[in-house]
Amino acid sequence: MEHDRRNLLKGYNMLLYFAGSMIMSEPTDECVIDFWTSGTLRRLPVSSSNPRFLKAASILRDICTDKVICRQMLSEDYFTLFAENGLPLAPARASIYLADKNKGVAVEREISEFYNSYSWQPIKPGKPSDHIGIELLFLTGLIEKYLLLDDEPCCCEMKKEICRFIGNCILPWIPSWNEAVQEHAHTQSYKGICTLIYACTEDLYGLFSISEVR
């Protein structure tokens, strides 16, 4: 059982790393080949009963078989939805969706404080701290740290930290962001990717909230 749980968490980390990279920058040929045209997304490393996860998996399994067309469509959608040098229709930043509640600045500061508490520096220094791609990189790092721990009290504390980060810094705005993507995306690919991010963070929050996870 322990081995299965560890593999499950590693599987979620792989999905978040893939999904975050697709939001972080324009999709590359390598990314398209590795995840779509090679069939990787038809063999997801995680099984989940979360309806959102099942929906995302269904979308991602049935699209993008032609590499050239896939890359072109993904690039066009990326710039329409997320590019920061224009007027993106679904900007991938927490502060934008929480600004109406006067929490935009506060949440960006809270996210930065999380990073600083672990002496963590994003590998994409040009991206704002509240960008979903940066947040997911940090989250996968926390999970990797958790998987290396063998002390029960430390594991319990890390579980709390992971839940706190997801609950405070990701889940409050991901539903609104996902709605914007579903409304404005031209490709099923990005609709599936953003739904996958939503589902994976929900699943991980649930997994780390229960005592059985170790």
Side-chain angles (χ1 to χ4, degrees):
M1 288 295 291
E2 171 63 18
H3 182 265
D4 290 342
R5 284 193 290 268
R6 292 176 66 84
N7 283 340
L8 179 65
L9 293 176
K10 289 178 181 178
Y12 275 113
N13 258 17
M14 176 184 152
L15 291 178
L16 290 181
Y17 185 82
F18 151 70
S21 69
M22 292 292 293
I23 309 298
M24 189 93 74
S25 56
E26 180 185 2
T28 63
D29 285 334
E30 180 182 19
C31 181
V32 171
I33 292 170
D34 285 350
F35 288 101
W36 265 285
T37 56
S38 67
T40 300
L41 290 175
R42 296 188 182 92
R43 303 182 298 273
L44 295 180
V46 168
S47 295
S48 170
S49 59
N50 183 338
R52 238 184 294 278
F53 187 96
L54 296 173
K55 178 181 178 181
S58 176
I59 293 172
L60 293 172
R61 284 182 184 130
D62 296 330
I63 51 179
C64 252
T65 55
D66 184 291
K67 182 185 75 172
V68 175
I69 294 175
C70 184
R71 164 69 189 281
Q72 180 180 352
M73 291 176 63
L74 286 169
S75 294
E76 291 174 357
D77 227 9
Y78 170 82
F79 284 107
T80 299
L81 295 168
F82 313 122
E84 295 162 28
N85 57 353
L87 295 173
L89 297 178
R93 294 188 59 186
S95 55
I96 291 174
Y97 298 91
L98 298 176
D100 290 344
K101 300 178 182 179
N102 296 319
K103 292 182 179 178
V105 174
V107 75
E108 190 171 359
R109 183 166 55 245
E110 182 178 8
I111 292 168
S112 295
E113 288 172 355
F114 258 107
Y115 301 162
N116 293 336
S117 68
Y118 286 89
S119 300
W120 187 79
Q121 295 294 326
I123 60 172
K124 292 270 190 179
K127 293 286 183 182
S129 61
D130 63 334
H131 189 282
I132 188 60
I134 301 297
E135 288 192 277
L136 294 181
L137 279 176
F138 179 69
L139 175 59
T140 57
L142 290 183
I143 294 171
E144 287 170 2
K145 286 180 180 293
Y146 172 82
L147 290 170
L148 293 174
L149 296 172
D150 57 8
D151 177 80
E152 190 61 32
C154 291
C155 287
C156 289
E157 286 305 308
M158 183 57 77
K159 283 193 293 185
K160 292 177 184 177
E161 282 291 275
I162 291 170
C163 284
R164 190 164 69 93
F165 182 70
I166 296 174
N168 291 2
C169 303
I170 297 180
L171 288 180
W173 67 279
I174 285 293
S176 297
W177 174 61
N178 187 53
E179 284 183 15
V181 173
Q182 303 307 312
E183 179 180 354
H184 297 294
H186 294 296
T187 63
Q188 289 296 307
S189 301
Y190 271 114
K191 291 182 180 183
I193 288 167
C194 295
T195 302
L196 183 69
I197 291 172
Y198 189 176
C200 286
T201 51
E202 281 184 316
D203 286 357
L204 286 166
Y205 186 82
L207 282 169
F208 283 104
S209 295
I210 59 177
S211 60
E212 286 82 359
V213 175
R214 161 62 188 93

